[in-house]
Amino acid sequence: MLFFTRKPDTTTAHEAPEEAAAPKAAPSPDALPEAGEEPEEKFFSVRYSARAIITPFAEGESIPSEPDFLREIPELFNIASPCAPSDLVRFRRMSMVPGDTGRLAAFLLMQAERINGLTRYIVDEASKDAIDTETISAGGFTVRTSLQRGTLARVQVFLPEYGTAAYAVARAEKPGDAEKALIPPDASQCAFFRFIIIRDQDRAALQAAIAEIERKSLRERKAASKKNTE
């Protein structure tokens, strides 16, 4: 099981040409990388109302070690991560194979659909006390909150529509350019909770769901554009 830790960052993956050509100001002290830290990863953000539960660290509490973090993960998140929608796609492809293998694949598809449906229900029930996010990515989410920048928290993120749930330790930051472009102008008191500890399998589940969200959005935009030209 791989384990992710990433330095908090709110910059976008690419700067505009005019920004790249302009002289850059010296970074502020709190933006300087700490010794020994690896470069942070960039993740694609989408505007989406996922559900999130944010539990700030107690005063004086430190970031848990990998073993401690893994032990505290609720069982729900061990169930939801493997039940990704991509599994159903693979099973449907298997069901096209003729003969006994096709019948076995059809049975597995039926079982996978049942598991996926049950997982969606469990995720939906678990997220009822959560708040809506403004944006979501595999690197974190933006949400309206009064918590101060720099706040460490345990976060639970739910995407019931995709049967996906992720558990992580995150830090509240000022939303970066990628998130600002997706947040409504009146979205005051927003913070971007960047994941600093998250399992590979949870990150991958989020990436798969976000890719499907973007594909769905593109299909809807194409359909709307076609309707307007008719």
Side-chain angles (χ1 to χ4, degrees):
M1 179 183 295
L2 297 179
F3 189 78
F4 273 84
T5 56
R6 286 290 180 267
K7 171 182 173 292
D9 176 73
T10 56
T11 58
T12 54
H14 302 284
E15 294 180 339
E18 60 269 22
E19 292 175 341
K24 296 183 179 180
S28 60
D30 62 345
L32 294 173
E34 297 180 10
E37 284 191 331
E38 297 180 358
E40 64 280 357
E41 289 191 19
K42 314 291 184 182
F43 296 98
F44 182 73
S45 293
V46 294
R47 176 158 176 76
Y48 183 77
S49 293
R51 306 284 287 159
I53 295 176
I54 302 169
T55 307
F57 276 27
E59 186 176 353
E61 186 178 3
S62 58
I63 296 174
S65 64
E66 177 179 349
D68 289 341
F69 174 79
L70 295 176
R71 278 194 293 268
E72 72 183 36
I73 297 175
E75 187 60 27
L76 162 66
F77 299 90
N78 294 320
I79 296 171
S81 295
C83 299
S86 57
D87 293 336
L88 294 178
V89 174
R90 286 195 292 270
F91 281 129
R92 289 190 180 104
R93 288 173 180 169
M94 288 175 60
S95 66
M96 300 298 290
V97 180
D100 292 340
T101 304
R103 286 194 289 272
L104 174 60
F107 171 76
L108 292 174
L109 172 61
M110 179 180 66
Q111 294 297 93
E113 287 178 333
R114 287 176 177 173
I115 293 171
N116 189 263
L118 178 60
T119 305
R120 290 186 183 193
Y121 173 78
I122 293 171
V123 170
D124 185 52
E125 288 295 304
S127 68
K128 285 188 174 177
D129 293 329
I131 58 176
D132 292 328
T133 68
E134 298 289 336
T135 71
I136 183 71
S137 77
F141 59 89
T142 307
V143 67
R144 302 188 193 212
T145 179
S146 58
L147 292 174
Q148 295 182 349
R149 182 182 176 187
T151 297
L152 288 170
R154 290 175 176 83
V155 298
Q156 302 176 39
V157 186
F158 306 94
L159 289 81
E161 182 181 358
Y162 300 94
T164 299
Y167 183 91
V169 170
R171 179 180 282 116
E173 302 179 1
K174 184 178 179 180
D177 293 341
E179 285 71 43
K180 286 179 182 178
L182 300 170
I183 298 172
D186 63 342
S188 60
Q189 293 186 315
C190 275
F192 180 70
F193 280 84
R194 182 171 298 281
F195 303 141
I196 57 175
I197 307 179
I198 187 171
R199 296 181 300 176
D200 271 0
Q201 65 197 69
D202 286 350
R203 181 98 76 182
L206 285 173
Q207 285 178 317
I210 290 160
E212 181 56 34
I213 291 169
E214 181 62 13
R215 284 192 292 268
K216 182 179 178 181
S217 177
L218 287 172
R219 288 194 298 268
E220 290 174 350
R221 289 200 294 268
K222 285 181 179 179
S225 177
K226 183 178 179 181
K227 184 177 180 180
N228 290 335
T229 56
E230 290 177 351

